[in-house]
Amino acid sequence: MATVGLLYVGAVLFINGMMLLGKIDARAAGIFNLFVGAMQVVIPTVLIITADNRADVILGASGLFLFGFTYLYVGIGLLGGFDTTGVGYFSLFVAIMALGFSYANFKIANDKPFGVIWLYWAFLWLLFFLLLGLKREHLTVYTGWVTAIQGWVTAAIPAFLLLTGYWQNWNQNLLAILLAVFGVVVFGGLWVLTRRRRTLPGDTGRAGGETATAH
């Protein structure tokens, strides 16, 4: 059940990344955020109710609420045109908690690939804090690309591979290393490219149109 939810986390991250890049209207993205946010609140609630006090299941389900509340908060904010500061500071909370869930995956669940993926999410939600909470609008394009890419790399593709049984066939240590290297190389390269673009004459580095108000 949680894996199905992860698949649609990938979808909403991709949609929100495209929104930040000016490709999708903010209100249209807000509707989909509500759909996925509701799913990511219902699924962990069901998992916890049926967990029979299993600590590992409750721990795993508790992290899903971080996503669910984020997307509900974002969806309501986009549709209502509200200020993004609250979402931004909630994103700081999520980023810090993501570090804890990364540690739990490495040390408790012995799931190294998802330990790395939680580090991805900590980085992403930190960007949301900087963009939405601190209003660092020059990060809009960079954050949009990171969001869209993470939608595929941390959610949609892993979820599909888990659902089809192929994820388990990979060497987990090697997979964790590949994910870590990919993140450093791609997001580091993106930072250089987007920073260079901002320095070009006449280019403000912002996505087309009004800066999106949420992720």
Side-chain angles (χ1 to χ4, degrees):
M1 186 181 293
T3 305
V4 174
L6 183 64
L7 184 67
Y8 290 96
V9 165
V12 77
L13 286 176
F14 177 68
I15 291 294
N16 290 346
M18 292 297 99
M19 176 190 67
L20 288 170
L21 293 172
K23 306 297 185 182
I24 296 176
D25 177 73
R27 290 175 63 84
I31 296 171
F32 193 66
N33 275 268
L34 292 181
F35 291 158
V36 179
M39 173 186 287
Q40 290 298 93
V41 170
V42 171
I43 287 177
T45 300
V46 172
L47 291 174
I48 290 173
I49 290 173
T50 59
D52 195 26
N53 291 323
R54 288 179 52 194
D56 59 330
V57 175
I58 295 173
L59 176 64
S62 64
L64 302 180
F65 285 113
L66 297 174
F67 295 94
F69 292 144
T70 297
Y71 302 134
L72 288 176
Y73 206 161
V74 167
I76 294 170
L78 289 173
L79 294 174
F82 301 129
D83 178 74
T84 65
T85 306
V87 176
Y89 276 87
F90 178 66
S91 296
L92 176 61
F93 173 82
V94 175
I96 294 170
M97 291 305 304
L99 294 176
F101 279 99
S102 174
Y103 177 84
N105 274 271
F106 278 119
K107 296 298 184 180
I108 299 175
N110 194 30
D111 189 340
K112 293 181 177 62
F114 269 89
V116 174
I117 285 174
W118 274 103
L119 291 177
Y120 270 72
W121 290 332
F123 173 60
L124 181 59
W125 261 254
L126 177 62
L127 288 176
F128 295 152
F129 164 63
L130 295 173
L131 176 63
L132 305 176
L134 300 186
K135 312 296 185 182
R136 304 291 173 83
E137 294 186 357
H138 66 280
L139 294 174
T140 300
V141 172
Y142 180 71
T143 304
W145 280 114
V146 173
T147 304
I149 292 169
Q150 285 209 23
W152 292 100
V153 175
T154 69
I157 294 173
F160 184 78
L161 292 176
L162 283 165
L163 289 168
T164 56
Y166 287 107
W167 181 269
Q168 297 84 343
N169 294 334
W170 279 76
N171 180 294
Q172 298 297 289
N173 290 329
L174 176 60
L175 184 55
I177 292 171
L178 290 174
L179 283 167
V181 171
F182 179 89
V184 171
V185 172
V186 172
F187 299 142
L190 273 173
W191 174 253
V192 173
L193 290 173
T194 55
R195 185 177 182 183
R196 181 178 301 169
R197 181 181 174 217
R198 290 199 307 272
T199 63
L200 294 176
D203 193 341
T204 64
R206 291 181 57 178
E210 183 181 357
T211 301
T213 59
H215 54 280

